[in-house]
Amino acid sequence: MPKSAGSPALLDLDAATPCCPPLARQRVPAEAAAVLAPAFKALGDPVRLQLMSMIASAPDGEICVCDLTPAFELSGPTISHHLKTLREAGLVNAERRGTWVYYRARPGIMRQLAGLLAT
Amino acid sequence: MPKSAGSPALLDLDAATPCCPPLARQRVPAEAAAVLAPAFKALGDPVRLQLMSMIASAPDGEICVCDLTPAFELSGPTISHHLKTLREAGLVNAERRGTWVYYRARPGIMRQLAGLLAT
DNA sequence: ACGTTGTTTTGATAGATGTCAACCTAGACA
DNA sequence: TGTCTAGGTTGACATCTATCAAAACAACGT
């Protein structure tokens, strides 16, 4: 059995191999669209796009929520909500270490999305 | 005066040069996020993602709405609404020629988005 | 045990979104 | 002018989303 259960199994978001040829090459199948669209949707909010970039560009590959929250003029719960959205879209992982929670980007799905948009 | 008026002028979506380094390289500025997030948002719906791929991969670089609509089990107005969303996000152009309307992908912004996600 | 700090969850609310039916517009053709 | 077809627009409705306040949960330090 493959490592990622719970997914439609047609698309492994962590796979190194692209799931589909680029958008401009051939039509994205409905099943692939159903899995990939939520990821784009998660990036479709200015706050989440910035959060994602702060996480992905963190010097040590990870960043504390305590460093993310004060970077925006939004309440803690709102930032937490956006982070949950990114998590559920499969874009990031969260890990609690002691008092703080650290977020880390999942490179696989980023590659999938980039490959889909590449010419 | 630059060619594209009406935009924040900080970001030219048709520029060949990327507006920002990749997501994972450094934090996306708020102004860039405000312009780019709507494009991701437009791709964040399964129907629109498929529409976009059908348009971008059209053999002649363009495709008729009359070829798009029957590809989904959705009403004409709904497809029209999604196409308008893609248009307003700057992802596609529409041109009427006689009876039919043809859609064409705008490669510039696709490059911007791909560059943002690339490692 | 208690209080403090960091993070998430819950509840509530205003606003956005996807969808369709009904209607409207643009062009072709007679 | 009239009618037909391809698309778009409007209005309505149910659902979803972004946001915050309040509460709950988790870990640390007394």
Side-chain angles (χ1 to χ4, degrees):
Chain A
M1 179 163 51
K3 59 178 173 182
S4 80
S7 290
L10 266 173
L11 290 176
D12 183 358
L13 294 180
D14 286 316
T17 312
C19 72
C20 338
L23 258 189
R25 194 67 60 185
Q26 75 174 56
R27 177 178 174 183
V28 176
E31 303 77 23
V35 178
L36 294 171
F40 283 119
K41 186 176 186 177
L43 296 177
D45 179 279
V47 173
R48 286 196 296 266
L49 192 55
Q50 291 177 81
L51 282 171
M52 188 66 211
S53 78
M54 292 178 73
I55 295 169
S57 68
D60 300 321
E62 65 181 11
I63 189 170
C64 176
V65 175
C66 60
D67 289 327
L68 295 172
T69 304
F72 301 86
E73 294 188 340
L74 291 170
S75 69
T78 297
I79 297 298
S80 185
H81 159 71
H82 284 306
L83 289 173
K84 182 178 186 178
T85 302
L86 290 175
R87 249 183 295 143
E88 292 177 341
L91 289 165
V92 300
N93 282 328
E95 183 195 355
R96 166 159 236 140
R97 281 206 305 279
T99 305
W100 293 280
V101 177
Y102 295 88
Y103 277 76
R104 185 177 287 271
R106 288 174 61 180
I109 184 164
M110 294 288 285
R111 269 195 303 271
Q112 299 280 342
L113 300 181
L116 204 64
L117 296 180
T119 42
Chain B
M1 178 163 51
K3 59 179 175 182
S4 80
S7 289
L10 267 172
L11 291 176
D12 183 358
L13 293 180
D14 286 317
T17 312
C19 73
C20 338
L23 257 189
R25 193 67 58 184
Q26 75 175 55
R27 178 179 173 183
V28 176
E31 302 78 21
V35 178
L36 294 170
F40 283 119
K41 187 176 187 177
L43 295 177
D45 179 278
V47 174
R48 286 197 296 266
L49 192 56
Q50 290 177 81
L51 281 171
M52 188 68 211
S53 77
M54 291 178 74
I55 296 169
S57 67
D60 299 321
E62 64 181 11
I63 188 171
C64 176
V65 175
C66 60
D67 289 326
L68 295 172
T69 304
F72 302 86
E73 294 188 341
L74 291 171
S75 68
T78 297
I79 297 297
S80 187
H81 160 70
H82 284 306
L83 289 173
K84 182 178 186 177
T85 302
L86 290 175
R87 249 182 295 142
E88 291 177 342
L91 289 165
V92 299
N93 283 327
E95 182 194 357
R96 166 159 233 141
R97 280 205 307 278
T99 306
W100 293 280
V101 177
Y102 295 89
Y103 277 76
R104 185 176 285 271
R106 288 174 61 181
I109 184 163
M110 293 288 284
R111 267 195 304 271
Q112 299 280 342
L113 300 181
L116 204 65
L117 295 180
T119 43

